Amino acid sequence: MPGITSPISALTDTTVANGYALALALVVLLQYVHSLTFRKRTRRTAEQYRKEVEGLSLEVLQLSRERGLQRLENQILREVLTQPDCQRAIGHMLRRFIVNPDDAFGLFMPLDPASDMPRQTRGLSEDSVKNFVLDHQTLQQLRDHGAVVWETPTTAGCPLYALLAPPDRKKARHLFVIGVGDASGLLGVLVASSLLPIAGTRAEQIELTTRLMSSIAPNLRQTLELERQSVQLRCTREMLELRSISDGKIGEPTVMLEKFLARLGQMVDAERTVLFLTTAEPAAPLQCSVRCGLQLQNGILQRWNEHEELLAQHGLQLDQLTVWEASQLCRLGIDTLIASAAVIPLIEGGRQLGVVCLTRRSPSSFSATQRQLLCWAGESLTHSLDRAISFDAIERRAKQDGLTGLANRRTFDEHLAESLADLRSGSIVECSLLMLDLDRFKSVNDQHGHQVGDAVLKAAAQMIREQVEKIRAQDRALAARYGGEEMALLLPGIGINGALRIAESIRGAIERHSVRTASAALQVTVSIGVASCPLHAKTAEQLIQVADEALYRAKSSGRNRVTAALDHFH
């Protein structure tokens, strides 16, 4: 038995041993497979987690960027919309977009023709601003898409780039045009060489800027409307003020015109305002009637007056308000002192009464509201001027002698009383009087008839007027027909020596002049008596009396001479 069981036992042992090995190998294999499967699943899970983390990180980053953009947008909107008026709001927005004006530029162009809002710029030269115009194609693209972008603008490919001055082209590495508007239409456009945020993508920049402009537009439109109503209300008040001046009871038409024009100039920020009236003289079709405004030094005043007269001459060819800016004035030959001007032709029933010229040193253009006021003022002034001219003609006829055109006796008496009142108050220190009488005038009437006598009186009066125009005090001197062939010349502020020189110039002028009649040329002379107050008299009656006595002595001494009064009242 032992010999039999031993091999079986060995076989059994071998089999068992081999089974353990196989089982062990199988266990090891299963563990290995499980390990590979676990590691693969772990890697897959880790990759999935990594992708989820990356996705979350991107979302966080995107949310952070969006939050940053939203914060920037809100901050800009808050700062812009809290400004008190449109001009400041746009200015603040430009400063936000153009941080460094040496490297970039921005321009806001209003598109509403009824708006007084000017163009506003930052970092853009005046030459570029002056020439900048939006073409029809760009405007249409703005209406369709809200934005137009040139990444690398050139003069050939970008019409706006071609309008920029050379220094500004260096800043225009990119060029953006963004519409500022809402459902009611475009209010304006933002033209810029850079957008916000500076580090953002192009899409983010355009989206943010477009959204900002859309958000700003309703508030801008509302503010503009309020400003327009306020301006219109002020314009209406100004019209009423001017109307009260033109309709007011002012003694002299010239005084009314001066007040009207001076106030009009202040309302439209003009430094000088001038009224030119038309004349029948071809050589001088315009005559300056009223000047008011800024006081200037003599040399500057003369040059400024020449510019105003040149503008008025051009105004004769106009039929409506015309405004000139600096470049247009240069083409007219006005390249100094005046930088902007407005000319209003005054036309009534097809007849041109005159021209109003308003000038200023500032190059800023007259606003739409100011132009509206000027147009209204021109119409109002035309009617007032027509009435004033008629009133002035009536007043002049009431104060003038109908034959000679000199002042009448009543006007002379009034002016003499005023001059002596000025003498007593110290406004003037002396006043002289010339009494003039044509020699042998009765024989002229007897021999040649009263019509020739009238012609002689008219000629003598004209000689007196011409001599008065040559003296320095001609604005206060008064020539009058005192009675018959006797005339008088009142000279406030002029003493006896000056009066004697003037009298001699009148005497010589009349002596040299001949009056042509149908049959002959008449030579007439004049005798003149001269007296001065307070040298020869103290009262008006005394002054007339001593001047009359001096005239009588001139006649008695041979006529055609000048004689001074005796001071027997002292």
Side-chain angles (χ1 to χ4, degrees):
M1 288 300 290
I4 298 172
T5 57
S6 183
I8 294 172
S9 177
L11 178 62
T12 301
D13 292 341
T14 301
T15 302
V16 172
N18 288 338
Y20 283 146
L22 181 62
L24 183 60
L26 182 60
V27 169
V28 171
L29 178 61
L30 289 174
Q31 287 180 337
Y32 176 72
V33 171
H34 178 268
S35 175
L36 287 176
T37 304
F38 179 77
R39 281 164 49 181
K40 185 177 181 180
R41 188 168 59 247
T42 302
R43 282 197 301 270
R44 188 166 57 246
T45 303
E47 181 66 21
Q48 183 179 350
Y49 287 158
R50 186 183 64 79
K51 288 181 179 180
E52 289 178 0
V53 169
E54 286 182 356
L56 289 172
S57 297
L58 288 173
E59 287 182 15
V60 170
L61 181 61
Q62 184 64 27
L63 287 172
S64 178
R65 289 176 66 86
E66 289 177 0
R67 186 178 179 184
L69 290 174
Q70 188 66 44
R71 192 163 50 243
L72 175 63
E73 181 179 355
N74 291 338
Q75 188 177 7
I76 294 175
L77 283 174
R78 184 171 59 254
E79 293 173 351
V80 170
L81 297 181
T82 54
Q83 297 302 313
D85 55 60
C86 291
Q87 193 164 345
R88 293 185 187 179
I90 297 300
H92 193 87
M93 182 183 70
L94 287 174
R95 285 192 295 274
R96 264 295 195 169
F97 273 88
I98 310 302
V99 179
N100 181 10
D102 294 330
D103 190 53
F105 65 79
L107 163 68
F108 176 81
M109 291 182 60
L111 296 180
D112 184 1
S115 172
D116 281 344
M117 185 168 29
R119 293 183 177 186
Q120 287 184 252
T121 66
R122 181 169 170 81
L124 197 60
S125 68
E126 187 177 338
D127 290 338
S128 295
V129 176
K130 183 172 57 178
N131 297 327
F132 215 85
V133 179
L134 279 179
D135 60 285
H136 178 73
Q137 183 179 357
T138 303
L139 275 173
Q140 191 57 48
Q141 288 178 313
L142 278 176
R143 292 188 178 99
D144 294 340
H145 308 293
V148 183
V149 179
W150 287 276
E151 290 294 348
T152 53
T154 61
T155 53
C158 176
L160 301 185
Y161 185 82
L163 300 175
L164 296 174
D168 295 322
R169 292 180 185 175
K170 297 177 181 178
K171 302 178 184 179
R173 293 177 289 275
H174 315 286
L175 198 57
F176 309 95
V177 183
I178 311 292
V180 183
D182 50 20
S184 300
L186 286 175
L187 284 171
V189 296
L190 172 67
V191 182
S193 61
S194 67
L195 296 180
L196 293 176
I198 295 175
T201 65
R202 184 69 72 233
E204 287 175 337
Q205 291 177 337
I206 294 174
E207 183 183 356
L208 174 65
T209 307
T210 304
R211 197 164 56 244
L212 274 171
M213 297 305 106
S214 297
S215 300
I216 289 170
N219 183 271
L220 190 63
R221 188 181 295 280
Q222 183 180 9
T223 306
L224 277 174
E225 184 59 33
L226 291 174
E227 289 180 0
R228 187 180 295 117
Q229 292 175 3
S230 176
V231 168
Q232 195 61 45
L233 182 62
R234 187 178 71 247
C235 185
T236 303
R237 287 199 301 266
E238 291 172 342
M239 289 179 181
L240 291 173
E241 182 182 348
L242 292 174
R243 176 61 59 83
S244 69
I245 293 174
S246 62
D247 292 346
K249 294 183 178 180
I250 300 176
E252 291 289 336
T254 303
V255 175
M256 180 274 291
L257 293 173
E258 286 178 352
K259 290 186 66 175
F260 187 100
L261 292 171
R263 190 67 188 103
L264 175 62
Q266 293 171 357
M267 290 173 177
V268 299
D269 302 321
E271 288 170 297
R272 285 179 64 79
T273 308
V274 187
L275 169 64
F276 293 90
L277 297 180
T278 55
T279 70
E281 296 294 331
L286 288 172
Q287 179 181 11
C288 178
S289 178
V290 175
R291 286 189 193 272
C292 48
L294 183 68
Q295 299 297 316
L296 302 169
Q297 296 177 350
N298 289 337
I300 297 175
L301 177 62
Q302 181 179 355
R303 187 63 175 160
W304 197 300
N305 289 347
E306 291 172 358
H307 290 336
E308 289 170 334
E309 290 168 8
L310 179 58
L311 285 169
Q313 293 291 341
H314 284 279
L316 287 176
Q317 315 302 322
L318 305 173
D319 59 0
Q320 60 184 356
L321 169 71
T322 302
V323 173
W324 278 284
E325 296 181 356
S327 58
Q328 297 166 314
L329 290 171
C330 285
R331 288 195 289 272
L332 294 180
I334 300 174
D335 54 1
T336 59
L337 301 177
I338 299 173
S340 57
V343 171
I344 315 170
L346 306 177
I347 302 172
E348 177 72 13
R351 179 172 61 98
Q352 191 155 36
L353 303 177
V355 174
V356 176
C357 181
L358 302 101
T359 51
R360 57 190 184 188
R361 291 177 290 192
S362 168
S364 58
S365 180
F366 290 86
S367 69
T369 305
Q370 289 175 334
R371 296 184 190 207
Q372 178 187 356
L373 180 62
L374 289 174
C375 288
W376 178 90
E379 294 176 3
S380 178
L381 190 60
T382 298
H383 301 314
S384 300
L385 186 61
D386 201 28
R387 294 197 307 270
I389 290 174
S390 301
F391 177 79
D392 193 46
I394 295 170
E395 287 286 295
R396 197 162 50 248
R397 284 196 295 270
K399 294 181 179 181
Q400 285 182 346
D401 172 64
L403 176 64
T404 63
L406 301 179
N408 57 26
R409 175 65 182 273
R410 178 182 175 183
T411 305
F412 169 79
D413 290 340
E414 291 174 354
H415 279 253
L416 177 59
E418 291 172 2
S419 297
L420 293 187
D422 289 342
L423 189 68
R424 287 190 293 272
S425 68
S427 299
I428 57 176
V429 295
E430 49 196 350
C431 177
S432 296
L433 174 63
L434 276 60
M435 298 297 292
L436 308 93
D437 190 82
L438 294 177
D439 297 328
R440 298 185 176 87
F441 183 72
K442 185 176 183 301
S443 63
V444 172
N445 278 334
D446 293 341
Q447 294 177 20
H448 302 280
H450 287 284
Q451 287 186 345
V452 174
D454 289 348
V456 169
L457 277 174
K458 289 180 182 178
Q462 181 61 29
M463 293 297 102
I464 294 172
R465 276 195 295 268
E466 290 177 359
Q467 295 306 309
V468 168
E469 289 175 358
K470 297 178 182 179
I471 62 179
R472 61 178 172 83
Q474 61 92 13
D475 58 330
R476 299 194 63 186
L478 178 74
R481 186 180 182 187
Y482 195 73
E485 69 273 20
E486 193 172 10
M487 288 168 278
L489 178 59
L490 183 64
L491 299 171
I494 296 180
I496 185 62
N497 292 330
L500 288 171
R501 285 195 298 271
I502 293 168
E504 184 57 37
S505 68
I506 293 173
R507 186 204 63 76
I510 292 176
E511 182 183 31
R512 292 188 297 272
H513 184 78
S514 59
V515 180
R516 296 192 176 277
T517 66
S519 57
L522 294 180
Q523 201 82 29
V524 295
T525 58
V526 64
S527 297
I528 306 175
V530 183
S532 185
C533 188
L535 179 64
H536 301 119
K538 294 182 179 179
T539 66
E541 293 77 10
Q542 291 174 355
L543 187 62
I544 293 172
Q545 181 180 339
V546 294
D548 236 356
E549 290 175 357
L551 173 61
Y552 179 78
R553 286 188 291 107
K555 290 277 191 181
S556 302
S557 303
R559 300 183 178 85
N560 190 23
R561 64 188 61 210
V562 176
T563 303
L566 303 173
D567 59 346
H568 60 272
F569 278 101
H570 292 274

